[in-house]
Amino acid sequence: MQADSLFELESEKSFLGSLLLKGADNLIDIPLVPEDFYQDTNRRIYKAVLDLVDKKIAIDPVSVLNFLKENSLLKDPEREYDYIYSLYKDSVVSHPLGYYAERIKRLSERRRYSKLLTSALELIQKEPGENESVFNQIEQSLTEVSRSADVKGLMPVSQDKAALSEYIKEIMESRGQVKGLRTNFTQFDEMTSGLKEYEMMVLAARPGNGKTTLALNIASNVALIHNRPVVIFSLEMSRMELLLKLVCSYAQVESNKLKRSEVTKSDAPKLIEAIIKVTSSPIYIDDSGALSVDDFKGRIRKLLTNESLGLIIVDYLQLMNDPKSRDGGRQQEVSSISRALKQMAKEAKCPVIALSQMNRSIEQRSKDQRPQLADLRESGAIEQDADIVTFIYRGEKGKDEEEDPRMKGMAEIIIAKNRSGPTGSFPLAFRPELSRFDNV
């Protein structure tokens, strides 16, 4: 594409001419900023228009010229006087204001992209750092430009009538059915209506209570049953350990028996089937350990070029790092990490499940040790960013089992925060030897 095809001066002149002729009553629907105009004079004229609208002053050639003069924005007064009056008298305005605005905006975005690509080429040629760091910088810049292209700015709600009607119609027709991504844990799906594409869910439990197992069970259900791509970042367990859990869970074979080579003849075909099923599923695993926010974003964006993702899992949040915010202390770093996970849910258009540690203070409570939101480690930012906070509580590990033998082999799943639905709890059967949670 030629450089001169990245602007249309006639569209800019017709847009400004329309404002000078007809006023700016329809400007609320227009998401343009002065920087979207290619010609400097047009940028200054449009800035004057916006400021006059803000001051509730009518738009015409005189008010615009006075504003430019009073604010020392005229660079060539005689020529620009003539130019503004020519816009008023000679501009051909044969289309609605939105038509010209759309063309101006589209070309502005292309100029930004072109400039960014040029900078990216210079960075590739001159930056001495590691490839992944360079590529992450470029990918982040490209993503920010693409995201800004989707921003509509302030829009009147009158434009939402059709979309709102359709959304309400879908809700009414669904009759309480699960609309989001199914985890196949029945009561969880009923309470949350499934995981939504913009949601971040925090899953927390004390060590040994099965948070990795539950996350892997959800991943397995999403990938194997619903055939949706799942990304798993494991900062603690190795790739082979995760695969072993997935296979044993699917085959319902005890992992310890397998590790001790004590599997029976009847177990062998189940394991073979599980291996085939798991390794043919759309699951991606990253067990590289130390994971920075930029690494996380870069790897997801790279995958998004070829895949539409169903779910992202991070095991676990506190092991991630963000060198850019580290100087502000651990609380600020965790806040930055939590915010990045939430932003990625929106960018990737799929839910993110972040596993989280809990404060040790929970173990010091003499009575009810059921987890609470305050028990999340560095809880402030995590609780704020999360759409759903889920805890696993295993009564059999404490006094509850002695008081109620029915708790043996059971776990209580507590939904402590649910931005778009009810909170509450429900039981699941827990079989750690099979790396499985099951509905009851």
Side-chain angles (χ1 to χ4, degrees), residues 377-393:
R377 183 171 292 184
E378 292 102 8
S379 62
I382 300 173
E383 180 187 343
Q384 179 180 330
D385 292 326
D387 298 283
I388 300 172
V389 177
T390 303
F391 296 113
I392 304 171
Y393 174 65

Side-chain angles (χ1 to χ4, degrees), residues 176-182 188-196 418 420:
Q177 295 177 5
V178 176
K179 299 294 290 180
L181 182 70
R182 288 180 180 271
F188 180 87
D189 290 337
E190 288 175 355
M191 291 177 70
T192 62
S193 191
L195 295 172
K196 316 304 185 300
N418 185 5
S420 57

